[in-house]
């Protein structure tokens, strides 16, 4: 029986087979930032060989070819092979990790339903290809918006991929929240931990610092205590994190690419290699009803990861303010889900 390279990676066995990583929308901005990070070992570790499969649509075929040329020119020691293709079947063949960056972006004057229906058909097709051609234990991360609902569609149309293997990216929001706290307190971002992003990767997400801590002078202190400004934490902090994507578009005239790529690497690395003891991260995962969230939604929870499996952190105290915010973003996901299903019909 062939060795599953991800299993080897997770268990830390000596031999390292290359892990095949798919990136869809690979010629786009996020893809262009992401491929060198993966090839340098930022996603799966500095000694893990990689085979990259890059997929994009026909109009981007030439640009994709250019990205492949640059990957060859960069002479990455870990990169054992590169496939650049517009054929979804070729792209999905034998992949162990799939990062779904490709999607249909919302354009000016477009209704939400129009965007949803375009993405539903993209994710339906890609789900079938992954189901038929990816490695049986393939781990999937959906980045393209609406990320939670795209992941849900993918899950529906790839029933043989375990539901625990289909996730969406809210680590970018998680990292943004860490960054805001670190700036506010003038501490290193590595000393801040255990913020939570609850819910949808949209402007209804709830960045929660009630359980977050900062390591200062060798001991951990609650973020709330150190910030000592509930008004800021309950208003401006939340909206800054919720609307950070829009602020970057305003400044750069382009959407977040570098930070999105970096957090996609963080998401997969922690999922495969594990979270540090005593630390959790935020991942959009299939709800099992934890914290009163409707089962069957892809919702962002605090999770810990070990041996390639994520687990929702249980037993956190939820106050009234948090409860309302968590329910509000769940409601949006319920509406998105029914909108997506109406596009299917």
């Amino acid at each position: 029986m062939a060795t599953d390279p991800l299993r080897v990676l997770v268990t830390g066995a000596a031999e390292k087979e290359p892990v095949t990583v798919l990136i869809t929308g690979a010629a786009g901005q996020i893809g262009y930032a992401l491929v060198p990070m993966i090839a340098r070992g930022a996603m799966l570790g500095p000694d893990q060989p990689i085979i990259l499969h890059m997929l994009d649509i026909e109009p981007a075929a030439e640009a994709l070819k250019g990205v492949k040329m640059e990957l060859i020119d960069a002479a990455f020691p870990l990169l054992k092979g590169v496939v650049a293709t517009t054929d979804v079947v070729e792209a999905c063949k034998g992949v162990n990790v799939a990062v779904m960056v490709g999607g249909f972006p919302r354009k000016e004057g477009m209704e939400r339903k129009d965007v949803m229906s375009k993405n539903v058909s993209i994710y339906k097709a890609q789900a079938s290809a992954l189901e038929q051609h990816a490695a049986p234990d393939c781990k999937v991360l959906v980045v393209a918006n609406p990320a939670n609902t795209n992941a849900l569609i993918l899950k529906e149309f790839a029933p043989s991929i375990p539901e625990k293997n289909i996730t969406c990216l809210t680590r970018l929001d998680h990292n943004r929240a860490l960054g805001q706290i670190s700036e506010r307190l003038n501490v290193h971002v590595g000393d801040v931990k255990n913020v939570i992003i609850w819910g949808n990767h949209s402007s209804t997400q709830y960045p929660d610092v009630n359980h977050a801590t900062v390591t200062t002078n060798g001991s951990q202190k609650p973020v709330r205590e150190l910030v000592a400004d509930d008004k800021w934490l309950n208003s401006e902090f939340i909206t800054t994190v919720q609307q950070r994507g829009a602020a970057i578009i305003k400044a750069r005239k382009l959407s977040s690419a570098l930070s999105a790529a970096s957090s996609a690497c963080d998401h997969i690395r922690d999922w495969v290699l594990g979270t540090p003891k005593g630390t959790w991260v935020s991942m959009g995962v299939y709800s099992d009803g934890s914290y009163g969230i409707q089962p069957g939604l892809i919702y962002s929870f605090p999770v810990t990861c070990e041996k390639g499996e994520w687990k929702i952190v249980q037993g956190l105290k939820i106050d009234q303010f948090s409860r309302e915010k968590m329910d509000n973003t769940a409601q949006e996901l319920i509406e998105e889900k029914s909108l997506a299903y109406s596009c299917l019909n």
Side-chain angles (χ1 to χ4, degrees):
M1 198 183 129
T3 325
D4 175 0
L6 262 194
R7 185 62 48 221
V8 172
L9 180 56
V10 166
T11 53
E15 53 169 313
K16 292 235 165 156
E17 286 284 310
V19 169
T20 302
V21 180
L22 163 68
I23 298 145
T24 71
Q29 272 219 94
I30 295 174
Y32 188 70
L34 183 57
V35 290
M37 292 182 189
I38 298 172
R40 275 197 185 282
M43 179 176 275
L44 293 169
D47 57 353
Q48 175 57 55
I50 297 288
I51 295 169
L52 271 180
H53 284 199
M54 304 189 297
L55 174 71
D56 218 314
I57 52 174
E58 205 53 61
E62 271 308 298
L64 191 61
K65 210 180 284 178
V67 177
K68 182 176 178 176
M69 287 159 72
E70 284 203 74
L71 282 169
I72 292 164
D73 295 351
F76 292 110
L78 289 173
L79 195 56
K80 300 297 180 190
V82 184
V83 173
T85 184
T86 57
D87 173 9
V88 67
V89 170
E90 186 188 6
C92 289
K93 215 158 241 136
V95 305
N96 306 107
V97 173
V99 185
M100 317 300 283
V101 181
F104 193 90
R106 188 170 184 171
K107 295 178 177 160
E108 222 172 317
M110 276 185 87
E111 289 298 319
R112 213 156 131 240
K113 179 150 186 177
D114 302 334
V115 188
M116 186 70 80
S117 109
K118 294 249 191 247
N119 280 296
V120 161
S121 56
I122 292 170
Y123 277 84
K124 188 175 169 185
Q126 292 183 350
S128 309
L130 277 171
E131 171 152 79
Q132 289 166 47
H133 305 285
D137 202 27
C138 175
K139 286 179 156 50
V140 183
L141 167 61
V142 178
V143 176
N145 286 323
N148 301 57
T149 301
N150 285 344
L152 197 62
I153 295 299
L154 200 142
K155 190 197 86 55
E156 284 296 298
F157 289 95
S160 74
I161 298 177
E163 59 194 29
K164 68 177 176 21
N165 281 20
I166 296 174
T167 64
C168 79
L169 186 71
T170 57
R171 182 60 175 269
L172 176 55
D173 310 299
H174 181 98
N175 289 350
R176 283 167 172 167
L178 293 175
Q180 288 304 306
I181 296 299
S182 126
E183 291 282 293
R184 176 79 177 195
L185 292 174
N186 198 20
V187 295
H188 186 262
V189 71
D191 292 329
V192 188
K193 68 174 192 178
N194 295 353
V195 297
I196 301 169
I197 303 296
W198 297 100
N200 198 359
H201 174 63
S202 74
S203 59
T204 67
Q205 62 173 263
Y206 170 45
D208 175 6
V209 298
N210 288 329
H211 311 277
T213 60
V214 175
T215 303
T216 165
N217 304 326
S219 69
Q220 288 184 14
K221 293 217 155 60
V223 162
R224 262 201 197 275
E225 186 185 305
L226 290 175
V227 171
D229 185 347
D230 282 353
K231 186 174 183 297
W232 181 79
L233 283 172
N234 290 348
S235 56
E236 195 186 325
F237 162 74
I238 292 174
T239 54
T240 301
V241 175
Q242 287 173 334
Q243 292 160 21
R244 186 67 162 183
I248 286 165
I249 290 173
K250 191 163 183 267
R252 236 171 64 86
K253 312 291 176 271
L254 293 162
S255 60
S256 325
L258 175 163
S259 53
S262 180
S263 57
C265 288
D266 291 345
H267 175 112
I268 297 287
R269 189 187 59 245
D270 285 343
W271 186 4
V272 172
L273 299 176
T275 45
K277 203 167 169 39
T279 300
W280 63 66
V281 292
S282 302
M283 284 171 64
V285 298
Y286 197 65
S287 169
D288 60 359
S290 292
Y291 295 100
I293 301 305
Q294 187 181 100
L297 295 175
I298 301 259
Y299 187 98
S300 180
F301 288 97
V303 301
T304 54
C305 306
E306 196 181 356
K307 296 195 170 82
E309 306 273 331
W310 55 263
K311 204 163 87 213
I312 295 173
V313 176
Q314 296 295 343
L316 297 173
K317 204 167 166 308
I318 305 297
D319 63 17
Q320 190 51 43
F321 179 84
S322 297
R323 184 75 261 167
E324 281 170 20
K325 298 256 181 237
M326 288 162 69
D327 291 345
N328 179 36
T329 187
Q331 192 47 48
E332 182 181 56
L333 282 169
I334 291 164
E335 286 161 21
E336 271 187 24
K337 182 179 178 177
S338 67
L339 186 58
Y341 280 88
S342 71
C343 295
L344 283 172
N345 302 330

